[in-house]
Amino acid sequence: MKVSDIVRILDGRLVCGDNRSDYTIDVAFASDLMSDVLTLVNDNVLLITGLANLQTIRTAEMSDINCIVFARNKKVSQEMVSLAEESGISLIECRYSVFRTCGLLYQAGVKPVY
Amino acid sequence: MKVSEIVKALDLKVFSGSRGLEAEVSGGYVSDLLSDVMGNAEASQVWVTLQTHKNVMAVASLKDLAAVILVSGHRPDENTAAQSEEEGIPILGTGLSAFQVSGKLYELIGKK
Amino acid sequence: MDQELHYEYNVEGGDFSRAGYASSQIKKILKRLNIDAGVIKRTVVACYEAEVNIVAHAYSGAVYFDIESNRLKIVFRDEGPGIEDIEMAMTEGFSTASEEVREMGFGAGMGLSNMKKNADQLNIESEVGRGTRVEIIINT
């Protein structure tokens, strides 16, 4: 699924990565625990989280995650955008809960990591 | 929908608190941050998380949640299970990830 | 690798805004050297967990990164409270992290097992009241 489709399904806002909206993701993972995210071995994972700070971006960088959805109406800071741009990570803000975000994407056919 | 119906539909393991299996469920809430659940979860929701320590039950009880689903094969700590028994709030388990079990739960009960 | 390289970084205890900086630098260096992507990921995940541990638990620390002929050696040395029972600390789920650290998305007791899983060798030495030395070896 393309990043632009995810933005549309979640009625979200693509905060950074306009030039990469054709990028596609294969599977999704939802967690607020970064050590949990760091156990993933897959590539092209979409991370869904309600944890919005610099460590979320750092974790994505280390795990080769290229797209993050911030649910629970979390706002992305300018510092987070700069760090994400450095690593080519797309960020999406979304006002839904993590539960609803997972539900909508699962319904749309996004597969789980496991 | 009752907790017991969700257990059946999603093939969940019941670790503890089976006294509460007939409670009604209003929706789902997915979070691993206790303060977030304290602030934003609503009564009678089923809480999906991989946190297993004792404070989970304190939060579930304070927020009057219907049940807790531990994902990715996690098991409750001993005193977490004991407290679940005491409160009558079931702790359920699945080998599925939070994303998948939430996707299925959303299909089952919708909204929120 | 035909040349041996050495790098050092400082890590501040408590400064979560900079946690991950050293691991990020290490990742950039490894990418530039065209190291296998799987090896890079294992290395930086282990390093990042170790770096976050210094930020979460210690007062200050340093990272020593050596690229040797057939392996990577990363040493994390900190001044801090030390680890009382290393075996216990290695148990998945065991954590002494503060509520604040947990709310940062860490401190669930998965860090050390994540390091062990990704490193080819993990050596931990600690002195209570003084500090901790974590050595991560990755074969290339």
Side-chain angles (χ1 to χ4, degrees):
Chain A
M1 183 178 286
K2 283 185 188 175
V3 169
S4 54
D5 293 324
I6 295 167
V7 173
R8 181 176 45 77
I9 290 166
L10 299 177
D11 193 16
R13 192 168 82 85
L14 186 62
V15 185
C16 78
D18 281 343
N19 50 338
R20 297 183 296 273
S21 58
D22 275 350
Y23 173 77
T24 58
I25 61 109
D26 304 331
V27 289
F29 191 75
S31 186
D32 301 322
L33 286 183
M34 296 303 108
S35 289
D36 182 32
V37 177
L38 290 166
T39 61
L40 298 178
V41 289
N42 309 54
D43 288 330
N44 295 334
V45 177
L46 171 74
L47 173 62
I48 301 164
T49 187
L51 186 83
N53 61 42
L54 282 173
Q55 294 320 305
T56 317
I57 314 291
R58 283 289 187 211
T59 299
E61 178 190 353
M62 303 308 159
S63 310
D64 296 323
I65 286 171
N66 296 313
C67 186
I68 309 174
V69 171
F70 293 97
R72 297 185 201 132
N73 215 11
K74 292 291 170 195
K75 297 295 173 219
V76 171
S77 70
Q78 195 47 52
E79 265 182 307
M80 288 164 68
V81 170
S82 316
L83 198 56
E85 281 297 350
E86 245 178 65
S87 302
I89 301 167
S90 302
L91 307 180
I92 300 169
E93 286 177 349
C94 158
R95 65 181 190 282
Y96 301 147
S97 67
V98 172
F99 179 61
R100 188 167 177 190
T101 302
C102 293
L104 291 171
L105 292 177
Y106 188 74
Q107 227 162 33
V110 176
K111 300 284 175 237
V113 166
Y114 59 84
Chain B
M1 174 164 282
K2 289 178 176 171
V3 174
S4 57
E5 293 171 74
I6 293 171
V7 168
K8 205 169 162 204
L10 302 184
D11 194 20
L12 303 176
K13 185 172 165 58
V14 179
F15 285 116
S16 55
S18 52
R19 199 152 44 89
L21 285 175
E22 296 314 301
E24 280 292 328
V25 173
S26 66
Y29 199 79
V30 186
S31 181
D32 304 311
L33 303 174
L34 303 196
S35 61
D36 168 56
V37 179
M38 277 305 290
N40 300 313
E42 289 168 24
S44 299
Q45 284 179 330
V46 170
W47 175 15
V48 178
T49 187
L50 57 64
Q51 294 278 15
T52 56
H53 61 91
K54 193 167 161 231
N55 292 349
V56 166
M57 282 321 296
V59 171
S61 163
L62 282 165
K63 299 296 287 188
D64 286 318
L65 302 181
V68 177
I69 301 179
L70 300 183
V71 300
S72 305
H74 283 264
R75 308 174 60 86
D77 299 349
E78 207 172 299
N79 44 19
T80 311
Q83 208 180 337
S84 143
E85 280 296 333
E86 221 168 273
E87 304 277 353
I89 300 174
I91 299 181
L92 313 171
T94 177
L96 302 180
S97 64
F99 176 73
Q100 187 167 21
V101 83
S102 305
K104 285 174 182 278
L105 193 59
Y106 185 84
E107 259 175 5
L108 206 59
I109 57 180
K111 68 182 180 188
K112 290 278 172 189
Chain C
M1 222 80 43
D2 46 6
Q3 52 175 339
E4 306 209 343
L5 297 164
H6 176 81
Y7 301 87
E8 288 184 25
Y9 310 97
N10 286 323
V11 181
E12 277 304 308
D15 184 3
F16 266 100
S17 68
R18 265 179 60 92
Y21 175 80
S23 305
S24 178
Q25 296 308 112
I26 290 173
K27 181 169 186 177
K28 286 182 185 124
I29 291 165
L30 294 176
K31 266 185 152 170
R32 233 180 288 137
L33 293 171
N34 284 321
I35 304 278
D36 171 74
V39 172
I40 295 183
K41 193 156 163 179
R42 282 201 293 129
T43 307
V44 299
V45 165
C47 285
Y48 181 49
E49 289 281 13
E51 191 177 349
V52 166
N53 268 353
I54 295 183
V55 176
H57 296 286
Y59 318 122
S60 68
V63 184
Y64 306 90
F65 173 38
D66 283 288
I67 300 170
E68 299 173 356
S69 58
N70 54 2
R71 63 177 205 170
L72 308 172
K73 182 173 97 175
I74 312 100
V75 174
F76 297 80
R77 203 186 271 280
D78 74 48
E79 284 169 37
I83 305 171
E84 232 163 86
D85 183 339
I86 293 176
E87 205 175 314
M88 175 86 102
M90 296 293 294
T91 315
E92 210 170 303
F94 178 83
S95 176
T96 58
S98 64
E99 203 52 48
E100 187 198 353
V101 171
R102 290 177 193 269
E103 295 299 331
M104 294 295 298
F106 289 94
M110 300 167 77
L112 284 175
S113 54
N114 260 356
M115 281 183 228
K116 198 176 172 186
K117 218 178 310 174
N118 286 289
D120 290 303
Q121 272 182 63
L122 175 66
N123 303 310
I124 303 174
E125 290 160 26
S126 190
E127 199 179 331
V128 174
R130 308 251 347 215
T132 301
R133 178 185 183 275
V134 173
E135 181 185 71
I136 293 167
I137 305 285
I138 308 265
N139 300 330
T140 49

